[in-house]
Amino acid sequence: MDSIGARWASVAGRIEQACRRAGRDPASVRVVAVSKTHGPEMVRAACDCGLTLFGENRVQEAQAKMPLCPARAVWHLVGHLQTNKARAAARLFEMIHSVDSLKLLAALDEAAGLAGRTLPVCLEVNVAGEATKFGLAPDMVIPLLRAAERMRRVEIAGLMCIPPPAPDPEAVRPYFRRLRELRDAARVAAGFALPELSMGMSQDFEAAVEEGATLVRLGTVLFGRREAVWKRPPDDSAGASAGA
């Protein structure tokens, strides 16, 4: 069970079982393989196993890593985004999971316009009200959705949360349920479809799937423990493996 292929097979089986318990189609759940701190060789190995959707936490790391990874890899930003990096993020990522203010949403709307594209985003919600975490207060979601109606280039695809860490996945289940209920209420109040729920990580993804997650962000359970932050070697060629 040391290879990415074996880990992925195990994860896929666990997701299938969680979907069966919840009466869901396993195809309704997508895995974002969180490759932060891991090098292109790990992304390549994951692609070889059939994973194509990858999550990064930092714009700068992603900019250096992406050209060295297989061209079939699709990239999402799952970490906190500063407004001053909105332009780069709008060029690099297919989706951004962590929008937590009207200011950032407006900056991404402008950046997506400059890039000539529509950019799907998720609103990050601080469901537990933790002072140390980013995210919107739950009661700010609907007002932000209403403000987003005037945006032209960002598409609010859904909601995201990072609940408090807990050794027992059942302890965080109420936060996943709360995000789903908030999404359902926002659909009615603001008229957005909001098909995506980005929730669940390595330690609790099965509970998240049972509560309706459509995107689960998995790092350690796929790639193993992180030992050091990846940095691009100075002699790497940007196009060395871009078409692999």
Side-chain angles (χ1 to χ4, degrees):
M1 292 296 293
D2 290 334
S3 71
I4 291 178
R7 291 182 186 128
W8 169 224
S10 174
V11 165
R14 290 167 66 184
I15 289 174
E16 184 175 356
Q17 291 292 329
C19 284
R20 185 175 294 119
R21 291 192 295 270
R24 298 183 61 193
D25 181 354
S28 66
V29 181
R30 291 184 291 160
V31 170
V32 182
V34 180
S35 49
K36 67 177 184 180
T37 77
H38 295 292
E41 69 285 350
M42 296 290 276
V43 174
R44 192 174 303 112
C47 280
D48 289 344
C49 297
L51 287 158
T52 56
L53 182 54
F54 295 88
E56 287 287 325
N57 269 40
R58 298 179 182 276
V59 171
Q60 187 172 355
E61 180 180 340
Q63 280 179 311
K65 186 185 300 181
M66 286 179 182
L68 306 176
C69 293
R72 62 188 180 276
V74 176
W75 300 90
H76 286 195
L77 182 69
V78 298
H80 178 65
L81 177 63
Q82 296 176 326
T83 304
N84 63 2
K85 293 191 170 71
R87 187 171 297 188
R91 292 195 311 268
L92 290 168
F93 297 101
E94 293 299 314
M95 179 184 283
I96 293 172
H97 291 225
S98 49
V99 173
D100 59 1
S101 70
L102 179 58
K103 181 181 178 182
L104 177 57
L105 189 67
L108 288 169
D109 187 58
E110 179 182 1
L114 291 172
R117 59 170 299 200
T118 298
L119 179 65
V121 304
C122 289
L123 303 182
E124 181 177 357
V125 185
N126 189 342
V127 286
E130 295 176 274
T132 57
K133 283 190 179 167
F134 297 104
L136 296 163
D139 62 2
M140 291 303 298
V141 170
I142 292 172
L144 185 53
L145 285 171
R146 289 175 173 153
E149 291 177 355
R150 62 178 179 266
M151 306 292 175
R152 293 292 178 264
R153 291 293 192 157
V154 288
E155 173 186 303
I156 312 296
L159 305 182
M160 180 267 242
C161 74
I162 305 173
D168 180 3
E170 290 304 310
V172 298
R173 183 184 294 273
Y175 299 110
F176 298 144
R177 185 175 299 132
R178 171 64 175 136
L179 192 73
R180 172 171 49 81
E181 292 170 347
L182 184 62
R183 187 275 307 272
D184 293 346
R187 280 174 163 172
V188 175
F192 283 73
L194 304 176
E196 304 289 3
L197 286 174
S198 172
M199 58 188 195
M201 296 185 287
S202 290
Q203 67 273 22
D204 53 28
F205 67 90
E206 288 154 300
V209 168
E210 291 168 3
E211 294 299 330
T214 63
L215 293 161
V216 290
R217 309 180 305 272
L218 307 182
T220 304
V221 73
L222 290 172
F223 293 109
R225 187 179 301 276
R226 298 180 182 94
E227 296 183 357
V229 175
W230 177 83
K231 292 183 180 180
R232 178 174 169 170
D235 58 345
D236 266 339
S237 171
S241 53

